[in-house]
Amino acid sequence: MDELSLIPAQVAAPQKKHLTAARTFQGIPSCVQLPGGRLLACWYAGGEDEGPENYVVVTYSDDRGESWSDAVAVVEPQADGIRAFDANIFVDNNGKVRLFWAQSFSPCNRKPIDLRCGVFFSELTNYLESPDKWQWSKSSRISDGLMLNKPVTLKNGNIALPIYVCRKNLVGAPENVANSGCKMYLTQSDFQKITETGKCLMPCEYASWDETSIIEKRDGTLWMIIRAAWGKNNFESFSSDCGKSWSEPQESSVRGVCSRIFITRLKSGRLLLINHLPGADGGAVRNNLAAMLSDDDGKTWYGNLMLDAREQVSYPDGVEGEDGFIYIIYDRERYQAGEILMARFTEADVAAGKIISPASKLQMMVNVTGGTGKNILNVMPD
């Protein structure tokens, strides 16, 4: 059955079952601003949990996130027991728009991945047209693994893909999965040739969902940040030879609550980090989602603009728009509420640690399903 996960699902028009009214569980979003200003977002939904019914939906906004369409495109594998999930959207320096997602065999809910998984993509070839006329290229499989976070365009023009094959997974398979590792793949804008350059291995005792991010430092060093197990900070690894070799992963100063972070370099040269600030609990709960800046390539951080202090806010992704705003999308209560939210703010807001720009806005509703009504706080989330 898991061999069917190798067949690329195609991006298609949504059916009634994919629209908001028919969905409950949803989360793990990504967003980008297209040339011209339109915002495009995606996340996965389907069923009541992470499992075989999952599919990816795509939606858009033409008013800087104030209002959003219902699903305008969907990625749903047609074989039973095969899910689509962990999607992200990326626009390269040439304005090419690509949707990435993962596929995996999933025998049942809470057993969401097989040993191999796989990263897939499709290009939106005519994004300037109205969404009902959008055309997506034939989907392609890149490699084994997952790629939750965006690719990164390096100074030399190459595109680095942070792909990982988890050393541990949730289908009862043994540790030290064959072909595992936190990897970097390189390609050029045409995506015709995608090559694995090198990898590092998380220590098994600290491994979780790796959910790697890659940043190129000012001196050319590549910095990989890796999610670690519950109770540990994020880990990190470095490469000084364009990703061919990586240092042994060590605990990072970028703290974590066993959740996805978002990090990017802004046009100003500063780094922007979206992460959870420590609360009264000491930092073990997914709350206090905040934006912070670094002027020294990640050595120190400041600003701490609180985006959402509530519990069960997680998995930020975002983009610095051509309109001067930073757009951060995230989820809240994937099960109980099924909310996808957005924060729209400026670099000046983050530096000030508070909203000072008139058009900035927090906790903007992108989509809400009402959820399943289930409380899964005692279940380890993705």
Side-chain angles (χ1 to χ4, degrees), residues 217 223 253 271 294-301:
K217 288 181 169 284
W223 179 22
S253 61
L271 291 180
S294 176
D295 296 329
D296 54 14
D297 256 8
K299 294 179 182 177
T300 60
W301 299 90

Side-chain angles (χ1 to χ4, degrees), residues 34-284:
L34 303 181
R38 172 174 282 161
L39 294 174
L40 199 61
C42 67
W43 58 87
Y44 74 83
E48 294 188 346
D49 210 327
E50 299 169 17
E53 297 179 82
N54 294 158
Y55 52 79
V56 172
V57 297
V58 178
T59 182
Y60 72 93
S61 171
D62 284 334
D63 54 11
R64 298 192 304 185
E66 295 286 342
S67 62
W68 291 80
S69 72
D70 209 324
V72 293
V74 64
V75 180
E76 183 177 30
Q78 295 305 300
D80 291 341
I82 308 300
R83 67 190 290 243
F85 61 109
D86 281 9
N88 73 75
I89 300 178
F90 174 67
V91 179
D92 68 19
N93 287 345
N94 295 317
K96 293 185 177 181
V97 181
R98 292 184 176 89
L99 173 68
F100 298 87
W101 68 91
Q103 290 179 202
S104 176
F105 171 61
S106 174
C108 60
N109 287 342
R110 305 310 302 176
K111 291 188 176 181
I113 67 170
D114 56 35
L115 291 174
R116 180 175 49 207
C117 299
V119 181
F120 297 75
F121 78 96
S122 175
E123 181 182 345
L124 176 54
T125 59
N126 62 337
Y127 58 82
L128 294 177
E129 298 287 341
S130 62
D132 62 315
K133 296 180 180 179
W134 279 351
Q135 296 179 354
W136 298 82
S137 68
K138 184 177 180 181
S139 303
S140 299
R141 188 178 193 272
I142 297 174
S143 69
D144 291 355
L146 307 168
M147 189 181 73
L148 181 63
N149 293 310
K150 281 182 171 63
V152 177
T153 302
L154 305 178
K155 295 175 186 177
N156 62 10
N158 289 334
I159 298 173
L161 283 67
I163 293 176
Y164 52 96
V165 177
C166 298
R167 300 197 80 182
K168 292 184 178 181
N169 62 76
L170 300 182
V171 296
E175 297 179 356
N176 277 315
V177 175
N179 197 33
S180 65
C182 302
K183 308 178 182 184
M184 190 180 89
Y185 284 70
L186 277 179
T187 187
Q188 296 181 333
S189 184
D190 59 9
F191 270 67
Q192 292 301 302
K193 183 179 180 181
I194 306 173
T195 305
E196 181 183 338
T197 60
K199 69 178 183 179
C200 63
L201 285 173
M202 276 290 286
C204 266
E205 62 268 34
Y206 303 130
S208 177
W209 303 98
D210 297 323
E211 296 175 354
T212 53
S213 302
I214 292 176
I215 284 290
E216 185 177 22
K217 288 181 169 284
R218 292 190 178 102
D219 65 1
T221 300
L222 297 177
W223 179 22
M224 182 184 291
I225 305 175
I226 309 164
R227 173 181 164 180
W230 287 97
K232 300 295 294 184
N233 276 341
N234 294 304
F235 273 51
E236 63 187 9
S237 177
F238 298 92
S239 174
S240 58
D241 57 6
C242 299
K244 296 177 183 177
S245 61
W246 292 84
S247 64
E248 187 73 19
Q250 303 290 331
E251 194 165 350
S252 174
S253 61
V254 178
R255 58 172 304 280
V257 296
C258 197
S259 186
R260 174 199 205 175
I261 65 165
F262 174 69
I263 186 169
T264 190
R265 190 173 297 279
L266 301 175
K267 296 171 186 175
S268 67
R270 290 166 161 167
L271 291 180
L272 171 74
L273 173 66
I274 312 297
N275 199 5
H276 300 269
L277 293 177
D281 51 56

Side-chain angles (χ1 to χ4, degrees), residues 315-328:
Y315 275 54
D317 182 70
V319 65
E320 181 182 18
E322 61 183 27
D323 56 6
F325 285 97
I326 296 166
Y327 296 90
I328 298 297

